């Protein structure tokens, strides 16, 4: 079970905001993890606690960037048909870095677009995708909503936060 936390601030996060973000991410450390990563993309912080299921190597760690550099994703769940999707993407000559379903998902999004990729995807998941070109954050869940996705907008503090658990959001607020 992977857990993620994403915060978008009005400007580049200050040191105290980074500390609160890391503390909030640490509230999700139960049941693992196999790894923890925090990355920033200007005013957005991406945090991920990983429990590896498919690719146990560091190459499957998140946040995950698309090979074209346009997209960044944090994801919680499992894509059951990720090998079938990889096979469908063979015509795009992708140089795979890992065997993770996360990479499969982000490369499908890069090649086919978000909407088409989600139509192909069978599994249980929640995710936050950042499109660097359009400067947009997308929040998505599987069709049934098996994996939770929580978010909050705090206008007084000028930030947005999304997570696969509610506990870190409460901690940040």
């Amino acid at each position: 079970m992977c857990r993620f936390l994403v915060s978008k601030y009005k400007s580049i996060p200050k040191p105290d905001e980074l500390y609160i973000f890391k503390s909030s991410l640490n509230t999700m450390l139960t049941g693992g993890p196999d790894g923890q990563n925090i990355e920033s993309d200007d005013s957005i912080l991406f945090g991920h606690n990983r429990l590896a299921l498919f690719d146990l190597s560091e190459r499957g760690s998140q946040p995950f960037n698309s090979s074209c550099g346009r997209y960044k994703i944090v994801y919680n769940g499992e894509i059951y048909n990720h090998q079938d999707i990889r096979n469908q993407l063979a015509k795009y000559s992708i140089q795979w870095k890992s065997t993770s379903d996360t990479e499969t998902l982000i490369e499908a999004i890069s090649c086919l677009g978000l909407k088409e990729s989600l139509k192909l995807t069978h599994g249980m998941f929640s995710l936050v995708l950042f499109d660097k070109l359009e400067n947009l954050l997308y929040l998505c869940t599987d069709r049934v909503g098996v994996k939770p996705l929580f978010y909050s907008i705090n206008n007084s503090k000028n930030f947005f936060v999304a997570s696969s658990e509610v506990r870190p959001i409460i901690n940040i607020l």
Side-chain angles (χ1 to χ4, degrees):
M1 160 144 24
C2 300
R3 298 170 178 106
F4 65 81
L5 177 65
V6 176
S7 287
K8 179 164 183 15
Y9 299 85
K10 190 172 184 179
S11 60
I12 294 173
K14 298 174 183 116
D16 62 324
E17 292 168 330
L18 289 169
Y19 176 79
I20 292 168
F21 183 86
K22 173 111 170 110
S23 297
S24 298
L25 185 63
N26 286 338
T27 67
M28 299 188 291
L29 287 176
T30 59
D34 292 326
Q36 182 184 76
N37 290 321
I38 297 175
E39 288 183 15
S40 107
D41 209 300
D42 292 325
S43 62
I44 304 173
L45 290 174
F46 298 86
H48 192 265
N49 291 328
R50 181 176 186 222
L51 181 60
L53 296 176
F54 289 114
D55 188 332
L56 305 180
S57 73
E58 284 297 312
R59 293 183 310 267
S61 294
Q62 297 182 41
F64 210 102
N65 293 290
S66 62
S67 59
C68 69
R70 179 176 177 175
Y71 300 102
K72 183 184 292 273
I73 193 171
V74 285
Y75 153 84
N76 176 21
E78 185 177 347
I79 305 300
Y80 305 135
N81 65 329
H82 88 96
Q83 194 58 55
D84 294 335
I85 294 171
R86 279 186 184 229
N87 294 340
Q88 292 178 42
L89 296 174
K91 63 183 172 188
Y92 294 97
S93 303
I94 297 166
Q95 298 297 311
W96 299 103
K97 296 182 260 181
S98 74
T99 57
S100 72
D101 56 348
T102 308
E103 184 179 20
T104 303
L105 184 56
I106 198 165
E107 294 303 336
I109 292 167
S110 182
C111 294
L112 308 172
L114 179 61
K115 189 174 183 177
E116 188 60 33
S117 297
L118 293 178
K119 282 182 189 177
L120 289 174
T121 304
H122 300 290
M124 56 177 183
F125 59 88
S126 63
L127 64 90
V128 175
L129 176 76
F130 179 49
D131 181 335
K132 298 174 189 181
L133 182 64
E134 299 292 330
N135 195 31
L136 291 172
L137 276 174
Y138 294 93
L139 282 66
C140 307
T141 64
D142 59 80
R143 291 169 190 85
V144 181
V146 174
K147 292 292 185 179
L149 180 59
F150 302 95
Y151 68 92
S152 179
I153 300 170
N154 187 318
N155 290 325
S156 66
K157 293 183 181 179
N158 292 313
F159 77 89
F160 166 85
V161 62
S163 179
S164 57
E165 290 187 8
V166 75
R167 201 172 30 210
I169 293 177
I170 293 168
N171 193 48
I172 285 178
L173 297 175

